[in-house]
Amino acid sequence: MARAGRKTRAVTILDIAKSAGVSKSTVSLVLKRSPLVREETRQRVAGAMDALGYVYNRGAASLRRARADIVGMVINDLSNPFFAELAIGIERALQNSGFVPFIANTAESVVRQAEVVRSMREHGAAGLILSPALDTDVAEISRLEARLPIVLAIRRIIGARASLVVSDNLAGATRATEHLIELGHRDIAFVGGVGRMVVFQDRVAGFTGAMEKARLAVEPARIIESMPTKDGGFDAMKRLLSSEGRPTAVVCFNDVVAIGAMLAIARHGLTVGRDVAVVGFDDTAEARHVSPALTTVSVDAGSLGERAAQMLLRQINEGERRLENYVGEARLVVRESCGATFKRRIAS
Amino acid sequence: MARAGRKTRAVTILDIAKSAGVSKSTVSLVLKRSPLVREETRQRVAGAMDALGYVYNRGAASLRRARADIVGMVINDLSNPFFAELAIGIERALQNSGFVPFIANTAESVVRQAEVVRSMREHGAAGLILSPALDTDVAEISRLEARLPIVLAIRRIIGARASLVVSDNLAGATRATEHLIELGHRDIAFVGGVGRMVVFQDRVAGFTGAMEKARLAVEPARIIESMPTKDGGFDAMKRLLSSEGRPTAVVCFNDVVAIGAMLAIARHGLTVGRDVAVVGFDDTAEARHVSPALTTVSVDAGSLGERAAQMLLRQINEGERRLENYVGEARLVVRESCGATFKRRIAS
DNA sequence: TGGGAGTATTGGAACGTTCCAAATACGGGG
DNA sequence: CCCCGTATTTGGAACGTTCCAATACTCCCA
């Protein structure tokens, strides 16, 4: 029961060749399904292969070919369901491409990010999908971009020349804010996210834009930053509520922040949707399952991931550089947390 | 701006050697931090490396060494936060091990699973952490197990001789059931999961065991199978509620099933915790955030993942076979969905 | 001044593929 | 029976490392 093939030299193309009575070159041709080899020999070789339990050695192959069939996916926070869905989308799109995804979770650490990117390069990754960690340096990206195909996902980095897959943050935040205004809210805050993130800037711009269009003032104190996590949202909301004159509605940076904020609101003895309207951003599965169900901006992480993967594959296959951008639609999904249904219920 | 290093031959150890005026062997020694090389040459070589922008080629290295620094993680459902947390735990434990994780999501398809396992073998993975898809064949596992280190995670497979990391499903389900019984419930159902999964069998055994110990009958109709997903839980609960004489409490196969079940209960006009008590299994982050908060059995997916990774590393490094088992503790976390707090509130 | 013990360094020979140019086989046609 | 074209097959020579045995170099002592 000791490990079999541990000491035994691995079965190689040469063993197959010998056993099938052909040359290694022929075996290689069979491997790549070349139409050059006669059907009969093909079968003989194939037979030898599974008789000997042959396992193709991709490492050796890509050594010769100078490029591996690996792509890296670098995710800044895999514990956020949004990014998990993104990862699944990428993985799904890669499925029949002949490429295999490496995954790494940087947990927002640029140091860790540099490590994993390096590791992926060392493994000969043909390309990278990168959802950059907070404070990622533009120079870092440019340096990378010069060396291998890379698509930036979700988080734009200003000044970076690289393909990009993001959602329409401006439009999404605008729509969410407008919705709250239509519901009659006048004092609205923006909660969560950190100022140096472009995503934050875009969403805040959407928020302020909509406010200004409705001739509503936005005090600086109505924009509260926090880490884009549940705890961050909780803390930010708590701060907001303990200051005097609380807003009647909040637009949250994303769903996890929103869920944290809802918790803080409840903890404060208030009711989400009645006392304070809440809207999120992302539409993760969780948004549907919290109570009250979260009104949020849907961006479909899964298909964003697929897009990113397809874009990367295109870039790998075409060989030369062509930057692409894809901005995914952001659709408002009205549920309960904004108070819309609540209002309706009262009206009837 | 065209891709630089695309056509240019990559910088190799030989280029470094020439530039630093040493032999390739010396460079190789520097690479592996050998104490054999003189400090001064070490620095010269290191200097040449980043002057030329050298990238280590792990593919070539592992070709020679006959084993790559890759481990595979095969996950049956990455969209379930439980497994996402498991994956993060694995990734975390691998972080300073010198091994890099490949990830694949099989989405419960044994066909897909066979594909990705094959691909990982082709890449020379040093070992595999496998959370097997539904209906995975024992023979398949045995075959694999004979070829490379592998640890089975979360889902046991009867008859498989392989290292194992699972949670204490029997004890967990027992505790959950006992808790409901202590709260006064007599008519309790078990909801979700599919009968041919060992995890299901274990949890049901815990459930029935606790019931029998309390001299309570368990009708076959009180054990409802379903896919271990939110929708599965929803459907199963709906079926259960539409039959006459509904139970006053349900033990759910896992958290996502429980959340689905809670949705069905609410949809049926009943209140979770008051009309029907619900307890889950896993204690994913979501459990805390649904409303009412889910009483559940905590198994700590993250640390289970870490364990699995450590076990795999041990197995890889030691060389010969030593099967290990780890059964993670299952702790009941009482929140609101079981009605305990509700009851208390009434009492006071 | 020769030798021995370290200490540093080095030149092949692998590792398992792919790629290329070249060789071979086979079938007719002249 | 030879030649030619088409269909198959084939032997190196890479690819970028690691490993091993062997060589240089230093220094010190007899």
Side-chain angles (χ1 to χ4, degrees), chain A residues 1-6 53-60 62-63 67-71 73 77-81 84-85 87-88 91 94-96 100-106 112 115-116 118-124 126 145-150 161 230 259 263 285-286 288-292 315-316 318-322, chain B residues 1-6 53-60 62-63 67-71 73 77-81 84-85 87-88 91 94-96 100-106 112 115-116 118-124 126 145-150 161 230 259 263 285-286 288-292 315-316 318-322:
Chain A
M1 186 87 291
R3 173 120 341 104
R6 186 45 90 80
Y54 172 71
V55 178
Y56 182 60
N57 184 333
R58 277 176 199 283
S62 49
L63 172 57
R67 183 139 253 112
D69 49 2
I70 290 175
V71 311
M73 51 198 246
D77 182 8
L78 203 53
S79 71
N80 182 336
E85 287 171 30
I88 293 173
E91 214 257 348
L94 249 28
Q95 218 150 99
N96 293 314
V100 178
F102 263 121
I103 195 170
N105 180 35
T106 59
R112 174 84 186 129
E115 282 172 14
V116 304
R118 178 204 179 93
S119 161
M120 283 167 180
R121 292 236 284 146
E122 291 184 351
H123 282 280
E145 203 280 337
R147 297 276 150 216
L148 81 172
I150 156 170
R161 282 180 47 79
K230 198 122 35 186
I259 291 169
L263 236 46
E286 260 189 297
R288 275 190 298 288
H289 301 124
V290 286
S291 172
Q315 219 166 109
I316 291 172
E318 289 180 1
E320 31 61 54
R321 175 57 33 82
R322 188 163 58 83
Chain B
M1 185 88 289
R3 170 121 345 103
R6 185 46 91 79
Y54 171 72
V55 178
Y56 183 59
N57 185 333
R58 278 177 200 283
S62 50
L63 172 58
R67 183 141 254 115
D69 48 4
I70 290 174
V71 312
M73 51 198 244
D77 181 9
L78 203 53
S79 70
N80 181 338
E85 287 171 29
I88 294 174
E91 214 258 347
L94 249 28
Q95 218 151 100
N96 292 315
V100 177
F102 263 122
I103 195 170
N105 181 34
T106 58
R112 174 85 186 127
E115 281 172 14
V116 305
R118 177 204 179 94
S119 161
M120 285 167 178
R121 292 237 283 148
E122 291 184 350
H123 281 281
E145 203 279 337
R147 297 279 151 213
L148 83 172
I150 157 170
R161 281 180 47 80
K230 199 122 35 186
I259 291 169
L263 236 46
E286 260 189 296
R288 276 190 299 288
H289 301 125
V290 287
S291 171
Q315 218 164 109
I316 290 172
E318 289 181 0
E320 33 59 54
R321 175 57 33 86
R322 189 165 56 85

Side-chain angles (χ1 to χ4, degrees), chain B residues 231-245:
Chain B
D231 290 343
F234 184 87
D235 293 344
M237 194 69 209
K238 208 166 64 175
R239 255 180 292 147
L240 190 56
L241 290 176
S242 59
S243 68
E244 56 200 301

